[in-house]
Amino acid sequence: MRSVKVLYLGRWWKDPAYHIEVESAAFLSGLKSMKELRLLSLQGISNINKLPRSIGRLKNLIIIDVKECHNLEALPEDVSFLNNLTYLDVSNCHILDRMPKGISSLKKLQVFKGFVITAEPSNNLGALDDLKELTELRKLSIIANSNHFPTVIDLEVLQRLGKLRILAIAWESKQGSHGTKGLTRTEETRLPALLPENLEKLSLQGFPKPKMPSWLVEAKLKSLKKLYIKGGMLKTLGNEPLESIETLCLKFLSDLKTDWKELQERFPSMVHLKKVKCPRVTFCPCDEDGYCYLV
């Protein structure tokens, strides 16, 4: 096993009914001898509450996939020693509520799914600021445990990720108004462009405010072609058009009130609309599956 390069123990069949469970994570102790390992997948395996610290010895690791390891509580700080890592997926690990220090060492990281923003920042935990050195990032998904995310500092960090093409943010706050203070009205208009200028796709899930975020509207990104909004408290799309958007996806927005005419005004370049369970979004010429194609 010392020369193994790919260790794929996780779920490969994309069926939620397909379940993998282990009695304990003790079997992972054998990883320390796999010095040639390039890919490690434990996707969807239950009862893994932590990864061994010895994972930091696997200097050749390029990919770690622990997506949907529902019992995973923390990542060891030793992952910061994996200097060749380009892909890290910790998404849908719902108990995972913090990031380790040292993430800034992963200079080659291109895909990071499931970065957790804690409600109460601490010097002992990883923060979004740690990502500002990861200039190779192309795809990033964030789990925000504070309704006040993003702050001005958060936005400045995101701006520095010049190669970022896909950004997804999901708000899963259980603390209500607790956590770091968010943007004031003055701060919201302080920066001329508030997102990475080459961003092509933005997904917002559980957005906790009734109005479109100013950091999106003010950015006026010419490269942003896809906007997905799912769930949350959004009530209005505002008055400012987002002229670059070609694909718009609206799902589970029970409070959003708009109509087909207004959508065309807000998104004049739109060629594809997907609308699912948005009862107050009216008069859209969508088919029974919620799709509308304009070309």
Side-chain angles (χ1 to χ4, degrees), residues 69-285:
C69 288
H70 298 302
N71 300 103
L72 188 66
E73 299 176 3
L75 291 176
E77 290 190 8
D78 302 77
V79 298
S80 63
F81 300 130
L82 302 176
N83 297 326
N84 287 310
L85 204 65
T86 63
Y87 184 103
L88 177 58
D89 190 349
V90 294
S91 60
N92 294 330
C93 297
H94 299 297
I95 300 180
L96 187 67
D97 61 359
R98 60 192 182 277
M99 291 288 104
K101 294 290 286 184
I103 291 293
S104 58
S105 300
L106 305 179
K107 306 292 187 184
K108 294 183 179 181
L109 203 61
Q110 298 179 21
V111 176
F112 196 162
K113 298 181 181 181
F115 186 92
V116 178
I117 304 294
T118 59
E120 298 293 341
S122 167
N123 291 331
N124 297 321
L125 301 176
L128 192 70
D129 189 61
D130 294 331
L131 299 186
K132 65 185 179 183
E133 304 298 330
L134 307 187
T135 56
E136 296 299 314
L137 271 180
R138 288 165 170 76
K139 185 173 184 177
L140 173 65
S141 70
I142 295 171
I143 308 299
N145 286 320
S146 169
N147 285 343
H148 295 311
F149 179 84
T151 64
V152 169
I153 294 175
D154 295 327
L155 292 169
E156 289 174 343
V157 170
L158 291 174
Q159 277 186 292
R160 294 183 62 169
L161 303 178
K163 293 185 178 181
L164 198 66
R165 298 295 185 270
I166 300 174
L167 173 63
I169 306 173
W171 286 264
E172 296 184 356
S173 175
K174 301 177 179 64
Q175 288 79 23
S177 62
H178 296 292
T180 303
K181 185 178 179 182
L183 295 170
T184 65
R185 185 170 298 179
T186 300
E187 290 171 331
E188 284 183 332
T189 58
R190 197 179 79 181
L191 300 176
L194 302 174
L195 288 172
E197 62 180 0
N198 295 313
L199 199 66
E200 297 173 358
K201 179 180 177 180
L202 176 65
S203 298
L204 306 177
Q205 181 173 333
F207 183 65
K209 306 291 177 61
K211 296 181 180 180
M212 287 280 278
S214 62
W215 44 265
L216 168 59
V217 176
E218 297 291 335
K220 299 186 184 299
L221 299 177
K222 295 181 180 180
S223 60
L224 188 61
K225 303 300 182 184
K226 298 180 180 181
L227 177 62
Y228 290 40
I229 307 176
K230 180 180 179 181
M233 300 174 63
L234 192 66
K235 293 183 177 181
T236 176
L237 296 173
N239 298 317
E240 293 292 329
L242 293 174
E243 298 181 354
S244 64
I245 300 297
E246 297 177 358
T247 298
L248 177 66
C249 182
L250 305 173
K251 291 186 176 183
F252 309 112
L253 296 166
S254 58
D255 295 326
L256 178 61
K257 185 177 182 180
T258 187
D259 58 30
W260 178 240
K261 180 180 179 181
E262 183 178 356
L263 284 176
Q264 290 181 300
E265 292 172 352
R266 299 292 175 269
F267 306 97
S269 300
M270 181 174 60
V271 295
H272 177 209
L273 170 67
K274 175 70 183 283
K275 180 177 75 76
V276 177
K277 294 189 177 181
C278 301
R280 305 181 75 185
V281 179
T282 57
F283 302 112
C284 298

